[in-house]
Amino acid sequence: MDSRNGSAPQIPLDAEMESFFDSAPPLKDSAGITQKLKEFIEFNSAPPGKGSPRRVVCVTSGGTTVPLEQRCVRYIDNFSSGHRGATSTEYFIKAGYAVIFLYRRGTFQPYCRSLPEDPLLECFECSDDSSIRVRQPYTEAVKRAISDHHAAVAGGHLLKLPFTTIFEYLQMLQTIAMSVRALGSHAVFYLAAAVSDFYVPWKSMAEHKIQSASGPMDMRLVQVPKMLSVLKKGWVPMAFCISFKLETDSKILLEKAEMALKKYGMHMVVANELSTRKEEVTVVTGNEKILVCCDKTQPDSDVEKPLIELIVGRHSAYVKDSDC
Amino acid sequence: MDSRNGSAPQIPLDAEMESFFDSAPPLKDSAGITQKLKEFIEFNSAPPGKGSPRRVVCVTSGGTTVPLEQRCVRYIDNFSSGHRGATSTEYFIKAGYAVIFLYRRGTFQPYCRSLPEDPLLECFECSDDSSIRVRQPYTEAVKRAISDHHAAVAGGHLLKLPFTTIFEYLQMLQTIAMSVRALGSHAVFYLAAAVSDFYVPWKSMAEHKIQSASGPMDMRLVQVPKMLSVLKKGWVPMAFCISFKLETDSKILLEKAEMALKKYGMHMVVANELSTRKEEVTVVTGNEKILVCCDKTQPDSDVEKPLIELIVGRHSAYVKDSDC
C-alpha cells in the first residue's frame, strides 16, 4: 500500500517510517481490505433503520513476527496470547462501539476466551447416533461463543483483520488510520498488540534458509520505527489514542509508560507487568496514575471491564471537548 | 529430567548435549509424562482382549521455539504448520501403529487437516431454537474429525504430548526414547518437527525484556547440539529412524539429506523443498533415492499416504531382519 498514490489523503511519514514502508513486501489484497473498511465505517456511521451512529475503535491484538529469511522458515516472535485485545473487544462492542479487530492469526478471538485451547476436539463429542453434540461442562460457553460472535460480525459491529508479520501489521494499521481519519475525535486506537521493537530490513534479509554448518550465528537487528508518533501526529491527529507498555521489571514500568505518553502524544498509556497483568494495570494519563483492578470478590471478573469503562468515559469527555 | 538418576537405564550423552540439558530449565511434570508413556506402551504391547501388540512410532510435529529472554516475551520460531506430522499420524494409526504425537502447541492435529483455521467460529452456527449445529459444507469433515480423533485417543492408540520450546522438545524426546528403548526394532522415530538449529543458552539469556532504546541489537546464537546422532547411537540404537530435511534451495537439498543420513545413522531421510513439499518428497536411503508423489488424478490426495506405506514396508523388513 502506498499512501502517496491514488485518492488517499496525503499523510505525512517521517523518513525512518518511509524507508520501512519502502522496503516492506507489498501487502496482499490491500484493495480488498480498504474496501471492507470503507463499507464497515459507512455502515456504522449511518446504520440502516433507527440505529444511531457508532463510534469506531481499532483494537490491535497479539504479537507481530519479524522474518529472518525472505522465504520464511525462521522468525522472531513477540509473545502475546491476544487475551487482552479479544476481551476488550467484547466490552467495546457492549458499550456501543464498532470494533476493527486487527489481530495476529491464531491468537484469542472475542467471545472465546473461556474455551479450552483446542475447542473442536475438547468441547464436542459424537453421540451414539453419530450426531455431534457439545460436551456437558462446555455447553453454555460454546453457545455463547458462537452466538455472540456471530451477532457481532453479522450485525456489522465487528470487522476482523488478521496479520502475521510486522510488515503486514504496520501497513494494515496505516490503511485503517486512513479509513477512520475522517471520523476525527470519534475514532479510538486501542493498541494492545505486542509490536516487535527490532527487525531485519527485507532487503538485507537472506533469501534462503540460513545454514547452520558454520558455527554460531550473529544477527544484527535494527529498530522498528516508532509508528505511535506517526500515527498520532500524522495519520489520525484527532483520534483518541491508547497504547500499552509491558515490562517484566516493575521498577522501570511506570517511568517508561510516562515517557511513552509524552513522546508519542498518547491520551493514555496502560502500564502492565507481565506477571500481574491479568489482575491489575495502571493507566497513565497527563496528570494521573489510575490503578485499575479486577473485582476479586466476583468469580470470572477481569480487569478489562473496568478498564474499558474508564476509557469510554474519558473518550466521551474528549469527544465533547473536541465538538465545542 | 535427568537420565542419570533413578531407575532409568544409563543412556550415553555426548558432552555438548550434556551441557545443553544441564543448562535447560527443568521440564514441567516430567514424572507425569513418564507415567503416561509407560501406560501407553504397556497397553499397546499387550492390548486387553484379543488385540495383537502394536508397533510404536514417535511422530514429532511443528516447529520449536528458542526463547531470547528467560521471562519469555521474545523468541525465535521455526515455521512449521505441523500438517506433515498430523497427516502422517493418521496413516500410521490406520496401518496399525500406536502413535506418540509430540507436537508444538497450536499446530495441526490429526484428523483436523481439512478444517478451516478457526473451526469453532467457522464451522458452527446457532439455529433459531438456540441449539448449536454444524454449518452445511463442514458437516462430514467435523464429524470425521471428532469421531476419528476420539476413537484414536480413547482406543489407546494415540498419545498426544505438546511442547513449545527447544528445551521442552529435546527433554521430552529423550523421555520418549527411554520409554520405548525396550521395544528395540519395533519402535520407530519419525522426526518431522522443525527443530531450531540455533539457541541462546538459558544461563546467558537476559532475565528481563531486552530494552530497545539503545540502538541496533546484536545477538549471538549458538548451535543446538545435533540430537539425531545421540538419539540413534545412544538412546535407541535398535529403533527405525526417519528424519526430515527441509530446504528452500533445491540445489543443495539432496546433498544435505545424504549427509544427514550418513552423519546421524538414520535409516531414511525425507528431503523436502519448501515450495513443493505438499506434492512430492524424495526419500533418501543408504542406496536409493525414491521420489514419492501424491496421486494427482485423485482429489484430496496427499504425499503422506504413499510415504507412510513405503516406511511401513521398510520397517517391516527391518523388524524381520533384526529378529533373525
Side-chain angles (χ1 to χ4, degrees):
Chain A
M1 203 205 52
D2 188 338
S3 66
R4 288 147 297 173
N5 293 332
S7 60
Q10 193 84 12
I11 291 181
L13 280 177
D14 73 5
E16 207 185 0
M17 202 75 184
E18 193 149 6
S19 119
F20 177 90
F21 279 116
D22 278 348
S23 86
L27 184 62
K28 277 181 201 152
D29 192 29
S30 159
I33 293 169
T34 305
Q35 182 60 26
K36 272 188 203 164
L37 282 163
K38 188 168 171 281
E39 287 166 10
F40 184 76
I41 288 156
E42 278 174 7
F43 176 85
N44 283 290
S45 301
K50 290 179 195 158
S52 49
R54 282 182 172 239
R55 294 174 188 163
V56 175
V57 56
C58 170
V59 173
T60 71
S61 190
T64 63
T65 71
V66 168
L68 298 178
E69 296 143 335
Q70 283 190 9
R71 305 193 190 183
C72 188
V73 175
R74 297 193 189 93
Y75 54 82
I76 299 184
D77 202 347
N78 258 34
F79 167 77
S80 174
S81 67
H83 193 276
R84 176 90 75 214
T87 309
S88 302
T89 292
E90 297 176 30
Y91 289 113
F92 272 122
I93 290 178
K94 212 169 171 183
Y97 282 71
V99 179
I100 300 162
F101 184 59
L102 181 61
Y103 71 100
R104 165 72 180 277
R105 273 186 193 83
T107 55
F108 270 110
Q109 295 298 295
Y111 307 109
C112 297
R113 62 194 150 113
S114 61
L115 296 176
E117 211 173 295
D118 197 340
L120 187 78
L121 298 178
E122 297 288 316
C123 301
F124 291 87
E125 61 189 0
C126 263
S127 57
D128 296 338
D129 62 347
S130 95
S131 65
I132 302 294
R133 67 175 174 217
V134 186
R135 288 175 55 205
Q136 208 9 266
Y138 301 116
T139 319
E140 281 316 305
V142 166
K143 203 174 278 183
R144 176 174 173 268
I146 294 169
S147 62
D148 288 4
H149 184 270
H150 180 259
V153 173
H157 308 318
L158 174 59
L159 176 65
K160 304 208 299 182
L161 299 173
F163 66 83
T164 302
T165 69
I166 179 80
F167 300 110
E168 290 168 346
Y169 174 79
L170 286 183
Q171 289 176 103
M172 289 170 88
L173 190 69
Q174 190 191 26
T175 309
I176 294 168
M178 286 164 61
S179 302
V180 304
R181 185 179 162 93
L183 300 178
S185 65
H186 290 250
V188 177
F189 280 80
Y190 180 86
L191 304 157
V195 182
S196 315
D197 294 316
F198 300 100
Y199 80 114
V200 183
W202 192 255
K203 282 169 187 169
S204 72
M205 213 177 278
E207 188 193 349
H208 288 295
K209 190 178 167 191
I210 299 163
Q211 294 300 320
S212 63
S214 39
M217 175 164 76
D218 290 308
M219 273 196 312
R220 166 154 283 201
L221 300 163
V222 303
Q223 277 190 264
V224 170
K226 295 294 179 192
M227 64 68 202
L228 286 185
S229 207
V230 181
L231 176 81
K232 184 65 188 80
K233 291 170 190 163
W235 299 345
V236 282
M238 289 302 293
F240 191 73
C241 292
I242 303 124
S243 71
F244 283 72
K245 196 84 205 164
L246 172 76
E247 292 292 340
T248 59
D249 185 353
S250 62
K251 287 188 222 97
I252 59 171
L253 176 59
L254 287 185
E255 190 191 321
K256 296 210 71 168
E258 280 189 294
M259 228 154 68
L261 188 88
K262 283 181 203 137
K263 193 163 168 195
Y264 308 126
M266 295 289 106
H267 294 96
M268 292 173 154
V269 175
V270 182
N272 46 152
E273 208 239 292
L274 191 63
S275 61
T276 59
R277 71 194 188 285
K278 291 191 177 167
E279 288 88 49
E280 59 173 61
V281 298
T282 302
V283 176
V284 178
T285 72
N287 48 17
E288 297 153 300
K289 286 188 192 67
I290 309 160
L291 183 67
V292 178
C293 301
C294 66
D295 180 353
K296 283 172 191 157
T297 65
Q298 297 293 319
D300 301 326
S301 91
D302 51 53
V303 69
E304 285 80 8
K305 186 168 187 279
L307 176 62
I308 304 306
E309 276 170 11
L310 174 70
I311 290 171
V312 168
R314 297 300 169 101
H315 180 224
S316 295
Y318 175 76
V319 168
K320 215 180 238 175
D321 278 359
S322 310
D323 288 350
C324 289
Chain B
M1 203 207 47
D2 189 339
S3 65
R4 288 147 297 174
N5 293 332
S7 59
Q10 192 84 9
I11 291 180
L13 279 177
D14 74 3
E16 206 185 1
M17 202 73 181
E18 193 150 7
S19 119
F20 177 89
F21 278 117
D22 278 348
S23 87
L27 185 61
K28 277 180 201 154
D29 193 28
S30 159
I33 294 168
T34 305
Q35 182 59 26
K36 272 188 203 166
L37 282 162
K38 188 168 171 277
E39 287 166 11
F40 184 76
I41 289 157
E42 279 174 6
F43 176 86
N44 283 289
S45 301
K50 291 180 197 160
S52 49
R54 284 183 170 237
R55 294 175 187 161
V56 175
V57 55
C58 170
V59 174
T60 71
S61 188
T64 63
T65 70
V66 168
L68 298 178
E69 297 143 334
Q70 284 191 9
R71 305 193 190 184
C72 188
V73 175
R74 297 192 189 92
Y75 54 83
I76 298 184
D77 202 347
N78 258 34
F79 167 76
S80 174
S81 67
H83 194 278
R84 176 89 75 213
T87 309
S88 303
T89 292
E90 297 176 29
Y91 288 114
F92 273 120
I93 290 178
K94 213 171 169 180
Y97 282 71
V99 180
I100 300 163
F101 184 59
L102 181 60
Y103 72 99
R104 166 70 179 278
R105 275 189 189 82
T107 55
F108 270 112
Q109 295 298 296
Y111 308 108
C112 296
R113 61 196 151 112
S114 61
L115 297 175
E117 208 173 298
D118 196 341
L120 186 79
L121 298 177
E122 297 289 315
C123 302
F124 292 87
E125 61 190 0
C126 263
S127 58
D128 295 339
D129 63 349
S130 96
S131 65
I132 302 295
R133 67 175 175 217
V134 186
R135 288 174 55 205
Q136 207 11 263
Y138 300 115
T139 318
E140 280 317 305
V142 166
K143 203 174 279 182
R144 175 172 175 271
I146 294 169
S147 61
D148 289 4
H149 184 272
H150 182 259
V153 173
H157 308 318
L158 175 58
L159 176 65
K160 306 208 300 181
L161 299 174
F163 66 83
T164 303
T165 68
I166 179 78
F167 301 109
E168 290 168 345
Y169 174 79
L170 286 184
Q171 289 177 103
M172 289 170 87
L173 190 69
Q174 190 192 23
T175 308
I176 294 167
M178 286 164 61
S179 302
V180 304
R181 184 179 163 94
L183 300 178
S185 65
H186 291 250
V188 177
F189 280 80
Y190 179 86
L191 304 157
V195 182
S196 316
D197 294 315
F198 300 101
Y199 79 114
V200 183
W202 192 255
K203 282 170 186 166
S204 72
M205 213 178 276
E207 188 193 351
H208 288 295
K209 191 178 167 192
I210 299 162
Q211 295 300 318
S212 64
S214 38
M217 174 164 77
D218 291 309
M219 271 194 315
R220 165 155 283 203
L221 299 164
V222 304
Q223 277 190 264
V224 171
K226 296 294 181 193
M227 61 72 202
L228 286 184
S229 212
V230 182
L231 177 81
K232 184 67 190 77
K233 292 169 191 165
W235 299 345
V236 282
M238 289 301 295
F240 191 73
C241 292
I242 303 124
S243 72
F244 283 72
K245 196 82 206 166
L246 172 76
E247 292 292 340
T248 59
D249 185 354
S250 61
K251 287 189 224 96
I252 59 171
L253 177 60
L254 288 185
E255 188 190 323
K256 296 210 71 166
E258 281 190 292
M259 226 154 69
L261 188 86
K262 282 180 204 140
K263 194 165 168 193
Y264 308 126
M266 296 287 108
H267 294 97
M268 294 175 151
V269 175
V270 182
N272 45 152
E273 207 238 295
L274 190 64
S275 62
T276 59
R277 71 193 188 285
K278 290 188 178 171
E279 289 89 48
E280 59 174 60
V281 297
T282 302
V283 176
V284 179
T285 72
N287 48 16
E288 299 154 299
K289 285 188 191 67
I290 308 161
L291 184 67
V292 178
C293 301
C294 66
D295 180 354
K296 283 174 188 155
T297 65
Q298 297 296 318
D300 302 326
S301 92
D302 50 54
V303 69
E304 285 79 10
K305 188 168 185 281
L307 176 61
I308 304 306
E309 276 169 13
L310 174 69
I311 290 172
V312 168
R314 297 299 169 104
H315 180 224
S316 295
Y318 175 76
V319 168
K320 217 182 239 173
D321 279 358
S322 309
D323 288 350
C324 291

